Amino acid sequence: MKKDDCIFCKLANGIIPTNSIYEDDDFKVILDASPAAKGHALILPKEHFDNLYETDDAVAEKILPLAKKIAKQMKEKLHCDGVNVLQNNEVAAGQTVFHLHVHLIPRTTGDDAILEWNHLELSDEEMKEIKDKLSF
């Protein structure tokens, strides 16, 4: 399914021109129009899914291998020191476009493209409580 009012559906399906670096039957990978670093790319499924929770398993299974392929290309061709793989879900997590997408951000040591988060210190009891809630 595609959504007529979704900008990322339009980008992924060629309705709006992009700087595409990869395309197959399921995905288009484009350079981000507002990059955090040179070479910052977005993996866009051609089908519409609002977020990771709603993504078809068959599509979800293909995202990480594609991210690996693009990240290796970035390392080889851009000579970056590393690559961030980032995927946000919902407003609280920083999602601003509600079409599943994965950011691939080439990083160079000291570039300050993304700041590290504050690390919490949790007690053993808090860790156990969280583990118990999340365990399958």
Side-chain angles (χ1 to χ4, degrees), residues 121-135:
E121 291 186 29
L122 300 176
S123 69
D124 290 344
E125 183 178 294
E126 289 171 307
M127 290 295 279
K128 182 183 181 328
E129 181 181 331
I130 294 166
K131 176 189 72 89
D132 290 346
K133 286 181 180 179
L134 294 178
S135 295

PDB file of all heavy atoms in Angstrom, residues 121-135:
ATOM      1  N   GLU A 121      22.074   5.549  35.476  1.00  0.00           N
ATOM      2  CA  GLU A 121      22.613   4.573  36.418  1.00  0.00           C
ATOM      3  C   GLU A 121      21.412   3.942  37.107  1.00  0.00           C
ATOM      4  O   GLU A 121      20.703   4.605  37.864  1.00  0.00           O
ATOM      5  CB  GLU A 121      23.533   5.243  37.421  1.00  0.00           C
ATOM      6  CG  GLU A 121      24.818   5.726  36.797  1.00  0.00           C
ATOM      7  CD  GLU A 121      25.803   6.260  37.820  1.00  0.00           C
ATOM      8  OE1 GLU A 121      25.778   5.797  38.982  1.00  0.00           O
ATOM      9  OE2 GLU A 121      26.600   7.129  37.441  1.00  0.00           O
ATOM     10  N   LEU A 122      21.170   2.665  36.830  1.00  0.00           N
ATOM     11  CA  LEU A 122      20.027   1.953  37.394  1.00  0.00           C
ATOM     12  C   LEU A 122      20.499   0.936  38.423  1.00  0.00           C
ATOM     13  O   LEU A 122      21.542   0.294  38.247  1.00  0.00           O
ATOM     14  CB  LEU A 122      19.247   1.242  36.290  1.00  0.00           C
ATOM     15  CG  LEU A 122      18.674   2.138  35.184  1.00  0.00           C
ATOM     16  CD1 LEU A 122      18.015   1.290  34.112  1.00  0.00           C
ATOM     17  CD2 LEU A 122      17.700   3.144  35.749  1.00  0.00           C
ATOM     18  N   SER A 123      19.705   0.790  39.461  1.00  0.00           N
ATOM     19  CA  SER A 123      20.029  -0.192  40.495  1.00  0.00           C
ATOM     20  C   SER A 123      19.772  -1.593  39.946  1.00  0.00           C
ATOM     21  O   SER A 123      19.086  -1.778  38.944  1.00  0.00           O
ATOM     22  CB  SER A 123      19.154   0.042  41.730  1.00  0.00           C
ATOM     23  OG  SER A 123      17.800  -0.282  41.429  1.00  0.00           O
ATOM     24  N   ASP A 124      20.308  -2.576  40.638  1.00  0.00           N
ATOM     25  CA  ASP A 124      20.060  -3.969  40.263  1.00  0.00           C
ATOM     26  C   ASP A 124      18.564  -4.272  40.292  1.00  0.00           C
ATOM     27  O   ASP A 124      18.048  -4.989  39.435  1.00  0.00           O
ATOM     28  CB  ASP A 124      20.812  -4.922  41.192  1.00  0.00           C
ATOM     29  CG  ASP A 124      22.324  -4.882  41.002  1.00  0.00           C
ATOM     30  OD1 ASP A 124      22.774  -4.350  39.957  1.00  0.00           O
ATOM     31  OD2 ASP A 124      23.046  -5.370  41.885  1.00  0.00           O
ATOM     32  N   GLU A 125      17.872  -3.710  41.270  1.00  0.00           N
ATOM     33  CA  GLU A 125      16.426  -3.920  41.386  1.00  0.00           C
ATOM     34  C   GLU A 125      15.680  -3.329  40.179  1.00  0.00           C
ATOM     35  O   GLU A 125      14.785  -3.960  39.624  1.00  0.00           O
ATOM     36  CB  GLU A 125      15.914  -3.282  42.685  1.00  0.00           C
ATOM     37  CG  GLU A 125      14.434  -3.506  42.929  1.00  0.00           C
ATOM     38  CD  GLU A 125      13.980  -2.889  44.247  1.00  0.00           C
ATOM     39  OE1 GLU A 125      14.432  -3.358  45.311  1.00  0.00           O
ATOM     40  OE2 GLU A 125      13.175  -1.946  44.184  1.00  0.00           O
ATOM     41  N   GLU A 126      16.069  -2.123  39.768  1.00  0.00           N
ATOM     42  CA  GLU A 126      15.440  -1.496  38.602  1.00  0.00           C
ATOM     43  C   GLU A 126      15.711  -2.308  37.333  1.00  0.00           C
ATOM     44  O   GLU A 126      14.819  -2.501  36.507  1.00  0.00           O
ATOM     45  CB  GLU A 126      15.954  -0.063  38.424  1.00  0.00           C
ATOM     46  CG  GLU A 126      15.455   0.902  39.479  1.00  0.00           C
ATOM     47  CD  GLU A 126      16.148   2.250  39.392  1.00  0.00           C
ATOM     48  OE1 GLU A 126      17.410   2.283  39.392  1.00  0.00           O
ATOM     49  OE2 GLU A 126      15.429   3.265  39.328  1.00  0.00           O
ATOM     50  N   MET A 127      16.940  -2.784  37.188  1.00  0.00           N
ATOM     51  CA  MET A 127      17.288  -3.592  36.025  1.00  0.00           C
ATOM     52  C   MET A 127      16.469  -4.884  35.998  1.00  0.00           C
ATOM     53  O   MET A 127      15.965  -5.281  34.950  1.00  0.00           O
ATOM     54  CB  MET A 127      18.784  -3.905  36.004  1.00  0.00           C
ATOM     55  CG  MET A 127      19.657  -2.706  35.720  1.00  0.00           C
ATOM     56  SD  MET A 127      19.428  -2.024  34.065  1.00  0.00           S
ATOM     57  CE  MET A 127      20.451  -3.137  33.143  1.00  0.00           C
ATOM     58  N   LYS A 128      16.305  -5.536  37.150  1.00  0.00           N
ATOM     59  CA  LYS A 128      15.521  -6.761  37.220  1.00  0.00           C
ATOM     60  C   LYS A 128      14.063  -6.487  36.871  1.00  0.00           C
ATOM     61  O   LYS A 128      13.436  -7.260  36.133  1.00  0.00           O
ATOM     62  CB  LYS A 128      15.625  -7.404  38.599  1.00  0.00           C
ATOM     63  CG  LYS A 128      14.851  -8.724  38.689  1.00  0.00           C
ATOM     64  CD  LYS A 128      14.889  -9.331  40.059  1.00  0.00           C
ATOM     65  CE  LYS A 128      14.151 -10.640  40.169  1.00  0.00           C
ATOM     66  NZ  LYS A 128      12.984 -10.842  39.350  1.00  0.00           N
ATOM     67  N   GLU A 129      13.509  -5.400  37.369  1.00  0.00           N
ATOM     68  CA  GLU A 129      12.123  -5.047  37.080  1.00  0.00           C
ATOM     69  C   GLU A 129      11.917  -4.845  35.574  1.00  0.00           C
ATOM     70  O   GLU A 129      10.954  -5.344  34.989  1.00  0.00           O
ATOM     71  CB  GLU A 129      11.746  -3.771  37.835  1.00  0.00           C
ATOM     72  CG  GLU A 129      10.314  -3.331  37.632  1.00  0.00           C
ATOM     73  CD  GLU A 129       9.993  -2.045  38.371  1.00  0.00           C
ATOM     74  OE1 GLU A 129      10.606  -1.763  39.422  1.00  0.00           O
ATOM     75  OE2 GLU A 129       9.114  -1.309  37.866  1.00  0.00           O
ATOM     76  N   ILE A 130      12.828  -4.153  34.944  1.00  0.00           N
ATOM     77  CA  ILE A 130      12.741  -3.921  33.491  1.00  0.00           C
ATOM     78  C   ILE A 130      12.903  -5.237  32.732  1.00  0.00           C
ATOM     79  O   ILE A 130      12.146  -5.533  31.806  1.00  0.00           O
ATOM     80  CB  ILE A 130      13.794  -2.883  33.043  1.00  0.00           C
ATOM     81  CG1 ILE A 130      13.475  -1.516  33.660  1.00  0.00           C
ATOM     82  CG2 ILE A 130      13.846  -2.795  31.523  1.00  0.00           C
ATOM     83  CD1 ILE A 130      14.608  -0.513  33.575  1.00  0.00           C
ATOM     84  N   LYS A 131      13.885  -6.038  33.158  1.00  0.00           N
ATOM     85  CA  LYS A 131      14.111  -7.342  32.517  1.00  0.00           C
ATOM     86  C   LYS A 131      12.851  -8.200  32.604  1.00  0.00           C
ATOM     87  O   LYS A 131      12.425  -8.793  31.606  1.00  0.00           O
ATOM     88  CB  LYS A 131      15.274  -8.078  33.171  1.00  0.00           C
ATOM     89  CG  LYS A 131      15.520  -9.479  32.624  1.00  0.00           C
ATOM     90  CD  LYS A 131      16.519 -10.250  33.443  1.00  0.00           C
ATOM     91  CE  LYS A 131      15.998 -10.685  34.757  1.00  0.00           C
ATOM     92  NZ  LYS A 131      15.335 -11.958  34.826  1.00  0.00           N
ATOM     93  N   ASP A 132      12.222  -8.232  33.770  1.00  0.00           N
ATOM     94  CA  ASP A 132      11.025  -9.030  33.956  1.00  0.00           C
ATOM     95  C   ASP A 132       9.880  -8.552  33.061  1.00  0.00           C
ATOM     96  O   ASP A 132       9.113  -9.363  32.523  1.00  0.00           O
ATOM     97  CB  ASP A 132      10.585  -9.031  35.428  1.00  0.00           C
ATOM     98  CG  ASP A 132      11.533  -9.815  36.319  1.00  0.00           C
ATOM     99  OD1 ASP A 132      12.374 -10.582  35.789  1.00  0.00           O
ATOM    100  OD2 ASP A 132      11.436  -9.640  37.549  1.00  0.00           O
ATOM    101  N   LYS A 133       9.752  -7.261  32.878  1.00  0.00           N
ATOM    102  CA  LYS A 133       8.684  -6.704  32.029  1.00  0.00           C
ATOM    103  C   LYS A 133       8.911  -7.031  30.556  1.00  0.00           C
ATOM    104  O   LYS A 133       7.968  -7.246  29.797  1.00  0.00           O
ATOM    105  CB  LYS A 133       8.590  -5.194  32.208  1.00  0.00           C
ATOM    106  CG  LYS A 133       7.960  -4.767  33.505  1.00  0.00           C
ATOM    107  CD  LYS A 133       7.895  -3.257  33.595  1.00  0.00           C
ATOM    108  CE  LYS A 133       7.265  -2.822  34.896  1.00  0.00           C
ATOM    109  NZ  LYS A 133       7.211  -1.347  35.003  1.00  0.00           N
ATOM    110  N   LEU A 134      10.165  -7.038  30.135  1.00  0.00           N
ATOM    111  CA  LEU A 134      10.473  -7.184  28.703  1.00  0.00           C
ATOM    112  C   LEU A 134      10.764  -8.610  28.261  1.00  0.00           C
ATOM    113  O   LEU A 134      10.774  -8.892  27.062  1.00  0.00           O
ATOM    114  CB  LEU A 134      11.678  -6.302  28.348  1.00  0.00           C
ATOM    115  CG  LEU A 134      11.451  -4.801  28.452  1.00  0.00           C
ATOM    116  CD1 LEU A 134      12.729  -4.046  28.129  1.00  0.00           C
ATOM    117  CD2 LEU A 134      10.310  -4.341  27.536  1.00  0.00           C
ATOM    118  N   SER A 135      10.970  -9.505  29.199  1.00  0.00           N
ATOM    119  CA  SER A 135      11.320 -10.875  28.837  1.00  0.00           C
ATOM    120  C   SER A 135      10.140 -11.612  28.212  1.00  0.00           C
ATOM    121  O   SER A 135       9.006 -11.476  28.666  1.00  0.00           O
ATOM    122  CB  SER A 135      11.792 -11.653  30.070  1.00  0.00           C
ATOM    123  OG  SER A 135      12.990 -11.094  30.555  1.00  0.00           O
TER     124      SER A 135
END
